[in-house]
Each structure stands twice: as structure tokens, then as C-alpha cells.
Amino acid sequence: MIKKVGILDSGLGGLTVLQELLEKCPRGEYIYLADNQYLPYGEKTTEELRERGKLICRFFREKKIDLLVLACNTITATALDVFEKELQIPVYGVIEYGAKDALTRSKNKKIALLATERTVKSKAYDRYLKKSLEFMAIPCPELVFYAEEGIIEGPELEKSIAKSMEPIFQKNMDTVIWGCTHYPVLKKVFDQLGPKIQYIDPAKATVEAVARKITPSDEGKVDFYTTKIDKEYPRIIHALFGISGIRMKKIKI
Ligand code: DGL
């Protein structure tokens, strides 16, 4: 029986996944870990992330979770097998679901991926998107920081997103995967700049698969852990996700 669900991201991006989970299964028991001391994951090497993954497994093992969602593309791309091996419980990453969803929904089968440097380099999406007519992966590491600081509009952000979208418009691609869980919070600017583009948030298809496996408890519960204290987090979480009243505990990993 799956009761306790762990959720991991390097920061607040994974809350796009938690938000979906709370919508689909509000009485689930969730343990969210923001490994913000180690952010950005996108700039770490594969080896560093796999080692970090092993340490994080100790935390989730102690918490006795029944299922883990890697609510982070970068750690999914580099260390999904590490979590599976160490924890011996079902582990869901966001990449397979996001890629398959994009393939199904794209009409002209020209698909772009926006992601961190590490996710792009890993080619983890490429293997699922081979069936597309055209595929292009663009690293946008700076977007993580806008989202993490709660900046979801403004000229600088617009400039940054416009630059990333340029080759996508040139190639007439109809679908863009937000291949980093921080990006969906920037939706407003993406929609403004590319209103005809279909954006894929991998959280949606992933949660679709996960939510039906969860056995709800009497009352829903979210335990929120961080590896670094960030006094701004409660304000930003409320502003971006409408989630309030979360008590944060700092842990050392
Ligand atoms: N949110 C993470 C992802 O989906 C990574 C952000 C980072 O720490 O670089 O890839």
C-alpha cells in the first residue's frame, strides 16, 4: 500500500509536481525535500548528482516513504537508477512522462526541450523523442533563478525567454517541453511570447500515473524539508503556488 510519498527537487520547482498531486490526491501524505543548499543541480556533474542522490536516499529511507517522485528533470536524467537501487521502492521521474506526452500532443512533431545544461547534455529526453520529425534541446539555466526568487514577470525575464524561444519560432516548432520543474511558474511570460505554442509540463502526466497509486490518509499532510534556510520561501511558495501554512524543517545532508 502506498501511503507516504517523497518528492525531491533542488528547490521550489518540484512544487509544480506537489501542486498537481494535491489537486489529484489532496489527502495524500507528502514529504517534500528542497535540496536548496545544493542548487543549482543543472550545474553539477553527473557523478556529483549521483553521489548526492545516495545521501538523499538515507533521508528518504529514514522517513519510510513508500514511493518517490523525482520532481526534477536533472536528477531524473542523471540518477534515477541510483534512487531505485538504493530505496527499492517505486521511483517516478518526470522525463519519460513529459516526453511521451509531448509526442502525443504535437501536431507537426517538431518538439523543443528547454532544460538545464545537465539535462540537455544527458540526452535523457532524446531517446524518447527519436520518433519526432525534429527535436531541439536548448539549455536555459538562468530561468531557474528567476523562479526560485519568485520573479515571474518583467523585462529581463522576457528578454531571457525570448532569446531561448527564437530558434523554436524559426523552426516552426509547435510544442515546447518545460524540461525543468522551475519553468512552469514562468507560464505567463511564455504564453505572452509564444501564444500559439503548446507547452508541456511533465508534472501533469507524471502525477496522472502516480496519483492513482496513492492510498489517501484520513487527513492530507505535507512535511516540507530544506537543506538551507531561506526566509523568503514561505512568501514565495504562497505567491507562486497558493500553498500556505507549511512548516519548514531544515535538515543537514
Ligand atoms: N528543477 C530542476 C529540474 O527540473 C533543476 C533546477 C536546478 O537546480 O538547476 O531540472
Side-chain angles (χ1 to χ4, degrees):
M1 193 160 41
I2 289 174
K3 292 198 95 167
K4 268 194 190 181
V5 176
I7 301 157
L8 169 67
D9 184 41
S10 57
L12 299 183
L15 287 171
T16 52
V17 177
L18 177 65
Q19 201 179 30
E20 287 290 324
L21 277 167
L22 286 170
E23 219 166 90
K24 290 256 155 24
C25 186
R27 289 192 292 116
E29 247 184 81
Y30 303 108
I31 297 180
Y32 187 95
L33 173 61
D35 188 15
N36 52 344
Q37 192 213 346
Y38 214 65
L39 181 135
Y41 276 5
E43 289 173 21
K44 305 291 184 298
T45 64
T46 299
E47 293 68 34
E48 284 169 334
L49 290 166
R50 291 175 73 81
E51 283 312 305
R52 187 71 181 164
K54 282 184 199 159
L55 298 178
I56 289 173
C57 283
R58 285 193 207 159
F59 165 78
F60 280 122
R61 210 176 292 123
E62 272 167 29
K63 292 290 163 207
K64 299 195 179 350
I65 58 165
D66 304 306
L67 180 147
L68 176 65
V69 185
L70 296 176
C72 169
N73 291 261
T74 313
I75 204 87
T76 302
T78 54
L80 177 71
D81 61 313
V82 170
F83 287 90
E84 282 173 337
K85 189 169 163 241
E86 295 281 325
L87 293 172
Q88 298 287 322
I89 56 170
V91 179
Y92 285 75
V94 280
I95 292 182
E96 184 179 345
Y97 293 98
K100 288 182 176 165
D101 197 21
L103 261 185
T104 314
R105 296 216 264 138
S106 171
K107 289 209 169 65
N108 68 8
K109 304 293 174 217
K110 293 185 182 181
I111 301 170
L113 168 74
L114 303 181
T116 67
E117 195 86 52
R118 179 59 46 218
T119 300
V120 170
K121 282 194 178 137
S122 76
K123 297 200 183 297
Y125 269 96
D126 306 32
R127 88 177 76 116
Y128 298 106
L129 291 162
K130 268 188 208 135
K131 287 184 210 137
S132 63
L133 205 61
E134 255 185 78
F135 172 64
M136 183 199 299
I138 303 166
C140 321
E142 68 289 350
L143 298 187
V144 171
F145 299 100
Y146 285 104
E148 196 66 14
E149 283 166 28
I151 300 168
I152 56 164
E153 56 196 344
E156 268 188 43
L157 175 63
E158 283 168 24
K159 218 167 110 190
S160 180
I161 293 182
K163 194 164 157 252
S164 305
M165 297 288 286
E166 222 174 76
I168 296 169
F169 295 136
Q170 269 168 19
K171 293 242 171 183
N172 193 26
M173 303 191 121
D174 73 349
T175 301
V176 167
I177 304 171
W178 283 322
C180 170
T181 48
H182 282 77
Y183 300 170
V185 304
L186 310 172
K187 180 181 184 331
K188 199 171 144 194
V189 176
F190 275 108
D191 281 340
Q192 251 167 37
L193 295 171
K196 291 202 183 120
I197 300 270
Q198 174 168 235
Y199 296 101
I200 304 291
D201 176 0
K204 295 202 188 296
T206 309
V207 167
E208 203 64 57
V210 171
R212 65 179 91 105
K213 304 224 172 322
I214 303 172
T215 305
S217 58
D218 294 339
E219 283 172 55
K221 191 172 161 210
V222 179
D223 282 336
F224 196 107
Y225 293 86
T226 63
T227 49
K228 189 177 93 186
I229 290 174
D230 189 328
K231 293 209 175 84
E232 289 297 305
Y233 262 15
R235 181 187 63 77
I236 297 172
I237 291 172
H238 185 252
L240 298 188
F241 302 97
I243 302 173
S244 52
I246 289 184
R247 235 171 18 98
M248 290 188 197
K249 293 169 214 143
K250 191 210 161 233
I251 47 145
K252 209 172 160 199
I253 291 183

